Amino acid sequence: MILLVLLHKGKGGGLSDMFGGGFSSNFGGSSVVERNLDRLTVITGTVWFVCIIALGLLLKQ
């Protein structure tokens, strides 16, 4: 999850430029890659959130 967030193209300076800037600058012109990365990040975050809630409910019993 952290890697996916760091791969996003940065709006300015910061961690995305420091760590993921070299990789994302190669694909910066391609909006298809950026759109797919957005989708993959949202899907991964949603699955992660659902897993955390499910594990919390299972361990509560």
mmCIF file of all heavy atoms in Angstrom:
data_model
loop_
_atom_site.group_PDB
_atom_site.id
_atom_site.type_symbol
_atom_site.label_atom_id
_atom_site.label_comp_id
_atom_site.label_asym_id
_atom_site.label_seq_id
_atom_site.Cartn_x
_atom_site.Cartn_y
_atom_site.Cartn_z
ATOM 1 N N MET A 1 0.834 -1.186 0.000
ATOM 2 C CA MET A 1 0.000 0.000 0.000
ATOM 3 C C MET A 1 0.880 1.252 0.000
ATOM 4 O O MET A 1 0.611 2.181 -0.743
ATOM 5 C CB MET A 1 -0.903 -0.045 1.240
ATOM 6 C CG MET A 1 -1.922 1.014 1.292
ATOM 7 S SD MET A 1 -3.182 0.733 0.064
ATOM 8 C CE MET A 1 -3.965 2.282 0.050
ATOM 9 N N ILE A 2 1.905 1.236 0.813
ATOM 10 C CA ILE A 2 2.812 2.390 0.866
ATOM 11 C C ILE A 2 3.511 2.583 -0.475
ATOM 12 O O ILE A 2 3.655 3.700 -0.964
ATOM 13 C CB ILE A 2 3.833 2.216 2.012
ATOM 14 C CG1 ILE A 2 3.122 2.248 3.353
ATOM 15 C CG2 ILE A 2 4.908 3.282 1.949
ATOM 16 C CD1 ILE A 2 3.989 1.861 4.520
ATOM 17 N N LEU A 3 3.925 1.483 -1.082
ATOM 18 C CA LEU A 3 4.602 1.557 -2.379
ATOM 19 C C LEU A 3 3.678 2.147 -3.441
ATOM 20 O O LEU A 3 4.105 2.989 -4.242
ATOM 21 C CB LEU A 3 5.080 0.167 -2.799
ATOM 22 C CG LEU A 3 5.803 0.085 -4.124
ATOM 23 C CD1 LEU A 3 7.109 0.854 -4.076
ATOM 24 C CD2 LEU A 3 6.045 -1.354 -4.502
ATOM 25 N N LEU A 4 2.417 1.743 -3.440
ATOM 26 C CA LEU A 4 1.472 2.280 -4.423
ATOM 27 C C LEU A 4 1.279 3.776 -4.244
ATOM 28 O O LEU A 4 1.211 4.525 -5.226
ATOM 29 C CB LEU A 4 0.128 1.560 -4.302
ATOM 30 C CG LEU A 4 0.094 0.129 -4.800
ATOM 31 C CD1 LEU A 4 -1.258 -0.508 -4.485
ATOM 32 C CD2 LEU A 4 0.377 0.065 -6.280
ATOM 33 N N VAL A 5 1.194 4.228 -3.016
ATOM 34 C CA VAL A 5 1.021 5.666 -2.760
ATOM 35 C C VAL A 5 2.269 6.436 -3.196
ATOM 36 O O VAL A 5 2.180 7.506 -3.799
ATOM 37 C CB VAL A 5 0.696 5.916 -1.276
ATOM 38 C CG1 VAL A 5 0.736 7.394 -0.943
ATOM 39 C CG2 VAL A 5 -0.661 5.326 -0.930
ATOM 40 N N LEU A 6 3.434 5.874 -2.925
ATOM 41 C CA LEU A 6 4.673 6.568 -3.290
ATOM 42 C C LEU A 6 4.899 6.606 -4.800
ATOM 43 O O LEU A 6 5.630 7.466 -5.294
ATOM 44 C CB LEU A 6 5.867 5.911 -2.598
ATOM 45 C CG LEU A 6 5.969 6.140 -1.092
ATOM 46 C CD1 LEU A 6 7.145 5.366 -0.537
ATOM 47 C CD2 LEU A 6 6.098 7.612 -0.775
ATOM 48 N N LEU A 7 4.299 5.690 -5.540
ATOM 49 C CA LEU A 7 4.472 5.679 -6.992
ATOM 50 C C LEU A 7 3.665 6.757 -7.698
ATOM 51 O O LEU A 7 3.930 7.072 -8.853
ATOM 52 C CB LEU A 7 4.084 4.310 -7.558
ATOM 53 C CG LEU A 7 5.093 3.199 -7.337
ATOM 54 C CD1 LEU A 7 4.539 1.888 -7.855
ATOM 55 C CD2 LEU A 7 6.413 3.507 -8.007
ATOM 56 N N HIS A 8 2.684 7.334 -7.011
ATOM 57 C CA HIS A 8 1.872 8.374 -7.640
ATOM 58 C C HIS A 8 2.718 9.587 -7.974
ATOM 59 O O HIS A 8 3.673 9.913 -7.277
ATOM 60 C CB HIS A 8 0.731 8.797 -6.705
ATOM 61 C CG HIS A 8 -0.412 7.843 -6.723
ATOM 62 N ND1 HIS A 8 -1.388 7.890 -7.660
ATOM 63 C CD2 HIS A 8 -0.702 6.803 -5.919
ATOM 64 C CE1 HIS A 8 -2.252 6.926 -7.428
ATOM 65 N NE2 HIS A 8 -1.848 6.248 -6.376
ATOM 66 N N LYS A 9 2.333 10.242 -9.060
ATOM 67 C CA LYS A 9 3.036 11.449 -9.482
ATOM 68 C C LYS A 9 2.744 12.550 -8.480
ATOM 69 O O LYS A 9 1.592 12.819 -8.160
ATOM 70 C CB LYS A 9 2.566 11.868 -10.866
ATOM 71 C CG LYS A 9 3.336 13.024 -11.430
ATOM 72 C CD LYS A 9 2.897 13.316 -12.845
ATOM 73 C CE LYS A 9 3.698 14.483 -13.376
ATOM 74 N NZ LYS A 9 3.276 14.841 -14.725
ATOM 75 N N GLY A 10 3.787 13.180 -7.987
ATOM 76 C CA GLY A 10 3.627 14.216 -6.985
ATOM 77 C C GLY A 10 3.122 15.509 -7.574
ATOM 78 O O GLY A 10 3.416 15.849 -8.712
ATOM 79 N N LYS A 11 2.365 16.244 -6.794
ATOM 80 C CA LYS A 11 1.884 17.563 -7.217
ATOM 81 C C LYS A 11 2.946 18.629 -6.972
ATOM 82 O O LYS A 11 2.900 19.703 -7.509
ATOM 83 C CB LYS A 11 0.615 17.931 -6.450
ATOM 84 C CG LYS A 11 -0.489 16.929 -6.572
ATOM 85 C CD LYS A 11 -1.135 16.985 -7.932
ATOM 86 C CE LYS A 11 -2.373 16.111 -7.947
ATOM 87 N NZ LYS A 11 -2.363 15.105 -8.959
ATOM 88 N N GLY A 12 3.907 18.299 -6.116
ATOM 89 C CA GLY A 12 4.972 19.232 -5.805
ATOM 90 C C GLY A 12 6.145 18.443 -5.279
ATOM 91 O O GLY A 12 6.458 17.386 -5.784
ATOM 92 N N GLY A 13 6.779 18.939 -4.235
ATOM 93 C CA GLY A 13 7.873 18.207 -3.618
ATOM 94 C C GLY A 13 7.332 17.225 -2.611
ATOM 95 O O GLY A 13 6.141 17.090 -2.415
ATOM 96 N N GLY A 14 8.220 16.510 -1.989
ATOM 97 C CA GLY A 14 7.789 15.594 -0.937
ATOM 98 C C GLY A 14 8.257 14.182 -1.184
ATOM 99 O O GLY A 14 9.139 13.919 -2.002
ATOM 100 N N LEU A 15 7.636 13.269 -0.467
ATOM 101 C CA LEU A 15 8.057 11.871 -0.531
ATOM 102 C C LEU A 15 7.839 11.250 -1.899
ATOM 103 O O LEU A 15 8.612 10.400 -2.325
ATOM 104 C CB LEU A 15 7.301 11.054 0.529
ATOM 105 C CG LEU A 15 7.721 11.263 1.962
ATOM 106 C CD1 LEU A 15 6.847 10.433 2.887
ATOM 107 C CD2 LEU A 15 9.170 10.901 2.162
ATOM 108 N N SER A 16 6.774 11.641 -2.596
ATOM 109 C CA SER A 16 6.520 11.048 -3.901
ATOM 110 C C SER A 16 7.626 11.395 -4.891
ATOM 111 O O SER A 16 7.984 10.584 -5.743
ATOM 112 C CB SER A 16 5.167 11.477 -4.441
ATOM 113 O OG SER A 16 5.127 12.871 -4.593
ATOM 114 N N ASP A 17 8.181 12.586 -4.788
ATOM 115 C CA ASP A 17 9.296 12.963 -5.661
ATOM 116 C C ASP A 17 10.599 12.333 -5.194
ATOM 117 O O ASP A 17 11.447 11.977 -6.006
ATOM 118 C CB ASP A 17 9.459 14.481 -5.703
ATOM 119 C CG ASP A 17 8.370 15.152 -6.510
ATOM 120 O OD1 ASP A 17 7.746 14.461 -7.338
ATOM 121 O OD2 ASP A 17 8.150 16.350 -6.303
ATOM 122 N N MET A 18 10.744 12.174 -3.887
ATOM 123 C CA MET A 18 11.994 11.643 -3.344
ATOM 124 C C MET A 18 12.167 10.154 -3.673
ATOM 125 O O MET A 18 13.203 9.731 -4.140
ATOM 126 C CB MET A 18 12.028 11.842 -1.829
ATOM 127 C CG MET A 18 13.368 11.523 -1.199
ATOM 128 S SD MET A 18 13.331 11.677 0.595
ATOM 129 C CE MET A 18 12.640 13.286 0.830
ATOM 130 N N PHE A 19 11.121 9.366 -3.436
ATOM 131 C CA PHE A 19 11.236 7.917 -3.622
ATOM 132 C C PHE A 19 10.644 7.448 -4.940
ATOM 133 O O PHE A 19 11.251 6.674 -5.659
ATOM 134 C CB PHE A 19 10.542 7.187 -2.469
ATOM 135 C CG PHE A 19 11.212 7.418 -1.152
ATOM 136 C CD1 PHE A 19 10.586 8.145 -0.170
ATOM 137 C CD2 PHE A 19 12.482 6.918 -0.904
ATOM 138 C CE1 PHE A 19 11.198 8.362 1.047
ATOM 139 C CE2 PHE A 19 13.099 7.137 0.295
ATOM 140 C CZ PHE A 19 12.447 7.857 1.275
ATOM 141 N N GLY A 20 9.436 7.883 -5.260
ATOM 142 C CA GLY A 20 8.764 7.398 -6.457
ATOM 143 C C GLY A 20 8.945 8.296 -7.656
ATOM 144 O O GLY A 20 8.453 7.990 -8.734
ATOM 145 N N GLY A 21 9.628 9.405 -7.502
ATOM 146 C CA GLY A 21 9.755 10.374 -8.586
ATOM 147 C C GLY A 21 10.477 9.855 -9.803
ATOM 148 O O GLY A 21 10.080 10.118 -10.928
ATOM 149 N N GLY A 22 11.528 9.079 -9.597
ATOM 150 C CA GLY A 22 12.280 8.551 -10.732
ATOM 151 C C GLY A 22 11.474 7.570 -11.540
ATOM 152 O O GLY A 22 11.495 7.575 -12.762
ATOM 153 N N PHE A 23 10.727 6.731 -10.858
ATOM 154 C CA PHE A 23 9.923 5.729 -11.562
ATOM 155 C C PHE A 23 8.717 6.361 -12.229
ATOM 156 O O PHE A 23 8.414 6.075 -13.372
ATOM 157 C CB PHE A 23 9.474 4.642 -10.576
ATOM 158 C CG PHE A 23 8.699 3.534 -11.217
ATOM 159 C CD1 PHE A 23 9.336 2.587 -11.994
ATOM 160 C CD2 PHE A 23 7.334 3.445 -11.058
ATOM 161 C CE1 PHE A 23 8.626 1.572 -12.595
ATOM 162 C CE2 PHE A 23 6.620 2.437 -11.649
ATOM 163 C CZ PHE A 23 7.267 1.498 -12.419
ATOM 164 N N SER A 24 8.028 7.238 -11.518
ATOM 165 C CA SER A 24 6.812 7.823 -12.077
ATOM 166 C C SER A 24 7.109 8.860 -13.153
ATOM 167 O O SER A 24 6.247 9.146 -13.964
ATOM 168 C CB SER A 24 5.942 8.427 -10.977
ATOM 169 O OG SER A 24 6.596 9.513 -10.382
ATOM 170 N N SER A 25 8.312 9.430 -13.143
ATOM 171 C CA SER A 25 8.627 10.403 -14.179
ATOM 172 C C SER A 25 8.749 9.734 -15.544
ATOM 173 O O SER A 25 8.501 10.355 -16.564
ATOM 174 C CB SER A 25 9.919 11.147 -13.845
ATOM 175 O OG SER A 25 11.019 10.271 -13.873
ATOM 176 N N ASN A 26 9.108 8.446 -15.576
ATOM 177 C CA ASN A 26 9.153 7.715 -16.833
ATOM 178 C C ASN A 26 7.760 7.551 -17.421
ATOM 179 O O ASN A 26 7.591 7.524 -18.621
ATOM 180 C CB ASN A 26 9.779 6.336 -16.628
ATOM 181 C CG ASN A 26 11.231 6.424 -16.230
ATOM 182 O OD1 ASN A 26 11.890 7.419 -16.507
ATOM 183 N ND2 ASN A 26 11.716 5.400 -15.573
ATOM 184 N N PHE A 27 6.762 7.417 -16.546
ATOM 185 C CA PHE A 27 5.402 7.195 -17.004
ATOM 186 C C PHE A 27 4.531 8.432 -16.809
ATOM 187 O O PHE A 27 3.319 8.352 -16.910
ATOM 188 C CB PHE A 27 4.782 6.027 -16.234
ATOM 189 C CG PHE A 27 5.509 4.732 -16.449
ATOM 190 C CD1 PHE A 27 6.263 4.171 -15.434
ATOM 191 C CD2 PHE A 27 5.446 4.093 -17.668
ATOM 192 C CE1 PHE A 27 6.931 2.980 -15.637
ATOM 193 C CE2 PHE A 27 6.112 2.904 -17.872
ATOM 194 C CZ PHE A 27 6.857 2.341 -16.861
ATOM 195 N N GLY A 28 5.119 9.562 -16.517
ATOM 196 C CA GLY A 28 4.362 10.763 -16.199
ATOM 197 C C GLY A 28 3.496 11.262 -17.327
ATOM 198 O O GLY A 28 2.434 11.815 -17.102
ATOM 199 N N GLY A 29 3.914 11.055 -18.560
ATOM 200 C CA GLY A 29 3.136 11.530 -19.688
ATOM 201 C C GLY A 29 1.956 10.647 -20.018
ATOM 202 O O GLY A 29 1.074 11.042 -20.750
ATOM 203 N N SER A 30 1.945 9.436 -19.507
ATOM 204 C CA SER A 30 0.887 8.491 -19.834
ATOM 205 C C SER A 30 -0.228 8.574 -18.802
ATOM 206 O O SER A 30 -0.059 8.163 -17.664
ATOM 207 C CB SER A 30 1.466 7.079 -19.886
ATOM 208 O OG SER A 30 0.441 6.157 -20.110
ATOM 209 N N SER A 31 -1.354 9.096 -19.213
ATOM 210 C CA SER A 31 -2.476 9.204 -18.281
ATOM 211 C C SER A 31 -3.111 7.852 -18.024
ATOM 212 O O SER A 31 -3.752 7.661 -16.995
ATOM 213 C CB SER A 31 -3.509 10.197 -18.822
ATOM 214 O OG SER A 31 -4.045 9.721 -20.044
ATOM 215 N N VAL A 32 -2.961 6.897 -18.940
ATOM 216 C CA VAL A 32 -3.518 5.562 -18.755
ATOM 217 C C VAL A 32 -2.835 4.861 -17.590
ATOM 218 O O VAL A 32 -3.492 4.252 -16.747
ATOM 219 C CB VAL A 32 -3.377 4.724 -20.053
ATOM 220 C CG1 VAL A 32 -3.826 3.295 -19.826
ATOM 221 C CG2 VAL A 32 -4.150 5.362 -21.183
ATOM 222 N N VAL A 33 -1.535 4.975 -17.508
ATOM 223 C CA VAL A 33 -0.791 4.350 -16.415
ATOM 224 C C VAL A 33 -1.170 5.000 -15.091
ATOM 225 O O VAL A 33 -1.382 4.304 -14.090
ATOM 226 C CB VAL A 33 0.734 4.459 -16.663
ATOM 227 C CG1 VAL A 33 1.511 3.960 -15.465
ATOM 228 C CG2 VAL A 33 1.122 3.691 -17.908
ATOM 229 N N GLU A 34 -1.289 6.300 -15.068
ATOM 230 C CA GLU A 34 -1.666 7.012 -13.843
ATOM 231 C C GLU A 34 -3.080 6.640 -13.409
ATOM 232 O O GLU A 34 -3.336 6.432 -12.222
ATOM 233 C CB GLU A 34 -1.560 8.523 -14.059
ATOM 234 C CG GLU A 34 -1.691 9.338 -12.803
ATOM 235 C CD GLU A 34 -0.527 9.179 -11.841
ATOM 236 O OE1 GLU A 34 0.595 8.911 -12.292
ATOM 237 O OE2 GLU A 34 -0.748 9.315 -10.631
ATOM 238 N N ARG A 35 -3.982 6.524 -14.367
ATOM 239 C CA ARG A 35 -5.364 6.138 -14.056
ATOM 240 C C ARG A 35 -5.421 4.713 -13.509
ATOM 241 O O ARG A 35 -6.139 4.437 -12.544
ATOM 242 C CB ARG A 35 -6.218 6.246 -15.311
ATOM 243 C CG ARG A 35 -7.645 6.628 -15.011
ATOM 244 C CD ARG A 35 -8.471 6.912 -16.262
ATOM 245 N NE ARG A 35 -7.726 7.571 -17.313
ATOM 246 C CZ ARG A 35 -7.751 7.213 -18.591
ATOM 247 N NH1 ARG A 35 -8.480 6.201 -18.995
ATOM 248 N NH2 ARG A 35 -7.046 7.869 -19.489
ATOM 249 N N ASN A 36 -4.666 3.804 -14.112
ATOM 250 C CA ASN A 36 -4.625 2.424 -13.621
ATOM 251 C C ASN A 36 -3.991 2.346 -12.239
ATOM 252 O O ASN A 36 -4.424 1.546 -11.408
ATOM 253 C CB ASN A 36 -3.876 1.530 -14.605
ATOM 254 C CG ASN A 36 -4.672 1.270 -15.858
ATOM 255 O OD1 ASN A 36 -5.895 1.377 -15.865
ATOM 256 N ND2 ASN A 36 -3.982 0.937 -16.933
ATOM 257 N N LEU A 37 -2.980 3.153 -11.987
ATOM 258 C CA LEU A 37 -2.356 3.192 -10.665
ATOM 259 C C LEU A 37 -3.342 3.719 -9.628
ATOM 260 O O LEU A 37 -3.394 3.203 -8.512
ATOM 261 C CB LEU A 37 -1.097 4.062 -10.700
ATOM 262 C CG LEU A 37 -0.289 4.153 -9.415
ATOM 263 C CD1 LEU A 37 0.214 2.778 -8.995
ATOM 264 C CD2 LEU A 37 0.882 5.102 -9.606
ATOM 265 N N ASP A 38 -4.144 4.704 -10.007
ATOM 266 C CA ASP A 38 -5.186 5.213 -9.103
ATOM 267 C C ASP A 38 -6.184 4.115 -8.766
ATOM 268 O O ASP A 38 -6.541 3.915 -7.603
ATOM 269 C CB ASP A 38 -5.935 6.391 -9.739
ATOM 270 C CG ASP A 38 -5.098 7.647 -9.791
ATOM 271 O OD1 ASP A 38 -4.102 7.730 -9.047
ATOM 272 O OD2 ASP A 38 -5.435 8.540 -10.589
ATOM 273 N N ARG A 39 -6.633 3.397 -9.782
ATOM 274 C CA ARG A 39 -7.599 2.318 -9.565
ATOM 275 C C ARG A 39 -7.018 1.226 -8.681
ATOM 276 O O ARG A 39 -7.683 0.740 -7.762
ATOM 277 C CB ARG A 39 -8.023 1.711 -10.901
ATOM 278 C CG ARG A 39 -8.890 2.613 -11.718
ATOM 279 C CD ARG A 39 -9.236 1.985 -13.041
ATOM 280 N NE ARG A 39 -9.949 2.933 -13.883
ATOM 281 C CZ ARG A 39 -9.998 2.860 -15.186
ATOM 282 N NH1 ARG A 39 -9.377 1.894 -15.824
ATOM 283 N NH2 ARG A 39 -10.676 3.765 -15.865
ATOM 284 N N LEU A 40 -5.802 0.826 -8.952
ATOM 285 C CA LEU A 40 -5.153 -0.224 -8.176
ATOM 286 C C LEU A 40 -4.972 0.202 -6.722
ATOM 287 O O LEU A 40 -5.188 -0.592 -5.801
ATOM 288 C CB LEU A 40 -3.793 -0.578 -8.788
ATOM 289 C CG LEU A 40 -3.025 -1.725 -8.147
ATOM 290 C CD1 LEU A 40 -3.814 -3.019 -8.238
ATOM 291 C CD2 LEU A 40 -1.674 -1.882 -8.814
ATOM 292 N N THR A 41 -4.634 1.465 -6.501
ATOM 293 C CA THR A 41 -4.464 1.980 -5.140
ATOM 294 C C THR A 41 -5.794 1.988 -4.390
ATOM 295 O O THR A 41 -5.862 1.580 -3.231
ATOM 296 C CB THR A 41 -3.866 3.392 -5.169
ATOM 297 O OG1 THR A 41 -2.642 3.364 -5.901
ATOM 298 C CG2 THR A 41 -3.596 3.919 -3.773
ATOM 299 N N VAL A 42 -6.861 2.415 -5.048
ATOM 300 C CA VAL A 42 -8.177 2.448 -4.407
ATOM 301 C C VAL A 42 -8.660 1.037 -4.098
ATOM 302 O O VAL A 42 -9.169 0.769 -3.004
ATOM 303 C CB VAL A 42 -9.199 3.206 -5.289
ATOM 304 C CG1 VAL A 42 -10.613 3.016 -4.781
ATOM 305 C CG2 VAL A 42 -8.845 4.678 -5.357
ATOM 306 N N ILE A 43 -8.494 0.116 -5.028
ATOM 307 C CA ILE A 43 -8.914 -1.271 -4.805
ATOM 308 C C ILE A 43 -8.126 -1.897 -3.668
ATOM 309 O O ILE A 43 -8.694 -2.538 -2.780
ATOM 310 C CB ILE A 43 -8.768 -2.096 -6.102
ATOM 311 C CG1 ILE A 43 -9.803 -1.638 -7.124
ATOM 312 C CG2 ILE A 43 -8.908 -3.583 -5.830
ATOM 313 C CD1 ILE A 43 -9.580 -2.190 -8.512
ATOM 314 N N THR A 44 -6.809 -1.700 -3.655
ATOM 315 C CA THR A 44 -5.972 -2.253 -2.591
ATOM 316 C C THR A 44 -6.347 -1.658 -1.239
ATOM 317 O O THR A 44 -6.435 -2.380 -0.240
ATOM 318 C CB THR A 44 -4.483 -1.985 -2.893
ATOM 319 O OG1 THR A 44 -4.170 -2.526 -4.171
ATOM 320 C CG2 THR A 44 -3.596 -2.607 -1.847
ATOM 321 N N GLY A 45 -6.581 -0.369 -1.195
ATOM 322 C CA GLY A 45 -6.978 0.285 0.055
ATOM 323 C C GLY A 45 -8.322 -0.215 0.560
ATOM 324 O O GLY A 45 -8.511 -0.434 1.763
ATOM 325 N N THR A 46 -9.272 -0.429 -0.340
ATOM 326 C CA THR A 46 -10.587 -0.934 0.042
ATOM 327 C C THR A 46 -10.504 -2.358 0.582
ATOM 328 O O THR A 46 -11.099 -2.670 1.622
ATOM 329 C CB THR A 46 -11.546 -0.878 -1.165
ATOM 330 O OG1 THR A 46 -11.591 0.455 -1.669
ATOM 331 C CG2 THR A 46 -12.934 -1.330 -0.780
ATOM 332 N N VAL A 47 -9.754 -3.212 -0.106
ATOM 333 C CA VAL A 47 -9.585 -4.594 0.359
ATOM 334 C C VAL A 47 -8.883 -4.611 1.712
ATOM 335 O O VAL A 47 -9.259 -5.366 2.614
ATOM 336 C CB VAL A 47 -8.813 -5.425 -0.690
ATOM 337 C CG1 VAL A 47 -8.396 -6.770 -0.142
ATOM 338 C CG2 VAL A 47 -9.648 -5.605 -1.940
ATOM 339 N N TRP A 48 -7.879 -3.771 1.876
ATOM 340 C CA TRP A 48 -7.138 -3.690 3.136
ATOM 341 C C TRP A 48 -8.069 -3.257 4.277
ATOM 342 O O TRP A 48 -8.059 -3.832 5.361
ATOM 343 C CB TRP A 48 -5.975 -2.719 2.971
ATOM 344 C CG TRP A 48 -5.003 -2.667 4.102
ATOM 345 C CD1 TRP A 48 -4.867 -3.567 5.118
ATOM 346 C CD2 TRP A 48 -4.024 -1.667 4.331
ATOM 347 N NE1 TRP A 48 -3.858 -3.161 5.956
ATOM 348 C CE2 TRP A 48 -3.327 -2.002 5.494
ATOM 349 C CE3 TRP A 48 -3.670 -0.510 3.663
ATOM 350 C CZ2 TRP A 48 -2.302 -1.237 6.007
ATOM 351 C CZ3 TRP A 48 -2.639 0.252 4.168
ATOM 352 C CH2 TRP A 48 -1.963 -0.110 5.321
ATOM 353 N N PHE A 49 -8.888 -2.244 4.016
ATOM 354 C CA PHE A 49 -9.817 -1.746 5.023
ATOM 355 C C PHE A 49 -10.840 -2.822 5.414
ATOM 356 O O PHE A 49 -11.120 -3.022 6.599
ATOM 357 C CB PHE A 49 -10.523 -0.492 4.494
ATOM 358 C CG PHE A 49 -11.489 0.113 5.468
ATOM 359 C CD1 PHE A 49 -11.032 0.825 6.556
ATOM 360 C CD2 PHE A 49 -12.861 -0.031 5.287
ATOM 361 C CE1 PHE A 49 -11.911 1.390 7.454
ATOM 362 C CE2 PHE A 49 -13.747 0.527 6.183
ATOM 363 C CZ PHE A 49 -13.275 1.239 7.271
ATOM 364 N N VAL A 50 -11.387 -3.521 4.430
ATOM 365 C CA VAL A 50 -12.357 -4.585 4.700
ATOM 366 C C VAL A 50 -11.709 -5.713 5.505
ATOM 367 O O VAL A 50 -12.323 -6.247 6.439
ATOM 368 C CB VAL A 50 -12.967 -5.111 3.380
ATOM 369 C CG1 VAL A 50 -13.765 -6.387 3.595
ATOM 370 C CG2 VAL A 50 -13.844 -4.039 2.745
ATOM 371 N N CYS A 51 -10.471 -6.057 5.173
ATOM 372 C CA CYS A 51 -9.765 -7.103 5.925
ATOM 373 C C CYS A 51 -9.529 -6.689 7.380
ATOM 374 O O CYS A 51 -9.678 -7.508 8.293
ATOM 375 C CB CYS A 51 -8.433 -7.431 5.261
ATOM 376 S SG CYS A 51 -8.607 -8.374 3.744
ATOM 377 N N ILE A 52 -9.198 -5.442 7.608
ATOM 378 C CA ILE A 52 -8.970 -4.957 8.974
ATOM 379 C C ILE A 52 -10.267 -5.018 9.782
ATOM 380 O O ILE A 52 -10.277 -5.474 10.929
ATOM 381 C CB ILE A 52 -8.397 -3.529 8.952
ATOM 382 C CG1 ILE A 52 -6.965 -3.555 8.455
ATOM 383 C CG2 ILE A 52 -8.471 -2.882 10.326
ATOM 384 C CD1 ILE A 52 -6.373 -2.195 8.209
ATOM 385 N N ILE A 53 -11.370 -4.571 9.179
ATOM 386 C CA ILE A 53 -12.656 -4.615 9.865
ATOM 387 C C ILE A 53 -13.067 -6.074 10.147
ATOM 388 O O ILE A 53 -13.510 -6.402 11.256
ATOM 389 C CB ILE A 53 -13.750 -3.896 9.031
ATOM 390 C CG1 ILE A 53 -13.404 -2.427 8.865
ATOM 391 C CG2 ILE A 53 -15.129 -4.075 9.659
ATOM 392 C CD1 ILE A 53 -13.321 -1.647 10.163
ATOM 393 N N ALA A 54 -12.906 -6.943 9.165
ATOM 394 C CA ALA A 54 -13.277 -8.356 9.341
ATOM 395 C C ALA A 54 -12.439 -9.022 10.424
ATOM 396 O O ALA A 54 -12.968 -9.764 11.275
ATOM 397 C CB ALA A 54 -13.133 -9.101 8.021
ATOM 398 N N LEU A 55 -11.144 -8.772 10.432
ATOM 399 C CA LEU A 55 -10.288 -9.354 11.459
ATOM 400 C C LEU A 55 -10.644 -8.810 12.839
ATOM 401 O O LEU A 55 -10.628 -9.548 13.847
ATOM 402 C CB LEU A 55 -8.816 -9.073 11.158
ATOM 403 C CG LEU A 55 -8.191 -9.945 10.083
ATOM 404 C CD1 LEU A 55 -6.794 -9.430 9.758
ATOM 405 C CD2 LEU A 55 -8.131 -11.379 10.535
ATOM 406 N N GLY A 56 -10.968 -7.548 12.913
ATOM 407 C CA GLY A 56 -11.365 -6.954 14.189
ATOM 408 C C GLY A 56 -12.638 -7.580 14.722
ATOM 409 O O GLY A 56 -12.758 -7.863 15.931
ATOM 410 N N LEU A 57 -13.595 -7.824 13.836
ATOM 411 C CA LEU A 57 -14.847 -8.452 14.263
ATOM 412 C C LEU A 57 -14.647 -9.911 14.654
ATOM 413 O O LEU A 57 -15.258 -10.402 15.611
ATOM 414 C CB LEU A 57 -15.897 -8.345 13.152
ATOM 415 C CG LEU A 57 -16.419 -6.936 12.867
ATOM 416 C CD1 LEU A 57 -17.339 -6.943 11.667
ATOM 417 C CD2 LEU A 57 -17.134 -6.384 14.083
ATOM 418 N N LEU A 58 -13.787 -10.616 13.938
ATOM 419 C CA LEU A 58 -13.520 -12.024 14.245
ATOM 420 C C LEU A 58 -12.776 -12.178 15.575
ATOM 421 O O LEU A 58 -13.062 -13.091 16.358
ATOM 422 C CB LEU A 58 -12.708 -12.695 13.132
ATOM 423 C CG LEU A 58 -13.472 -13.014 11.851
ATOM 424 C CD1 LEU A 58 -12.523 -13.508 10.783
ATOM 425 C CD2 LEU A 58 -14.557 -14.037 12.125
ATOM 426 N N LEU A 59 -11.841 -11.320 15.842
ATOM 427 C CA LEU A 59 -11.052 -11.425 17.070
ATOM 428 C C LEU A 59 -11.814 -10.921 18.296
ATOM 429 O O LEU A 59 -11.446 -11.226 19.426
ATOM 430 C CB LEU A 59 -9.735 -10.658 16.915
ATOM 431 C CG LEU A 59 -8.754 -11.250 15.916
ATOM 432 C CD1 LEU A 59 -7.530 -10.361 15.778
ATOM 433 C CD2 LEU A 59 -8.337 -12.654 16.325
ATOM 434 N N LYS A 60 -12.863 -10.156 18.062
ATOM 435 C CA LYS A 60 -13.659 -9.615 19.157
ATOM 436 C C LYS A 60 -14.500 -10.706 19.828
ATOM 437 O O LYS A 60 -14.807 -10.632 20.997
ATOM 438 C CB LYS A 60 -14.567 -8.515 18.616
ATOM 439 C CG LYS A 60 -15.200 -7.638 19.645
ATOM 440 C CD LYS A 60 -15.990 -6.551 18.945
ATOM 441 C CE LYS A 60 -16.445 -5.512 19.925
ATOM 442 N NZ LYS A 60 -17.220 -4.467 19.261
ATOM 443 N N GLN A 61 -14.846 -11.724 19.072
ATOM 444 C CA GLN A 61 -15.725 -12.781 19.582
ATOM 445 C C GLN A 61 -15.021 -13.742 20.489
ATOM 446 O O GLN A 61 -14.025 -14.169 20.511
ATOM 447 C CB GLN A 61 -16.344 -13.550 18.423
ATOM 448 C CG GLN A 61 -17.230 -12.653 17.600
ATOM 449 C CD GLN A 61 -17.781 -13.374 16.381
ATOM 450 O OE1 GLN A 61 -17.416 -14.499 16.091
ATOM 451 N NE2 GLN A 61 -18.668 -12.716 15.683
#
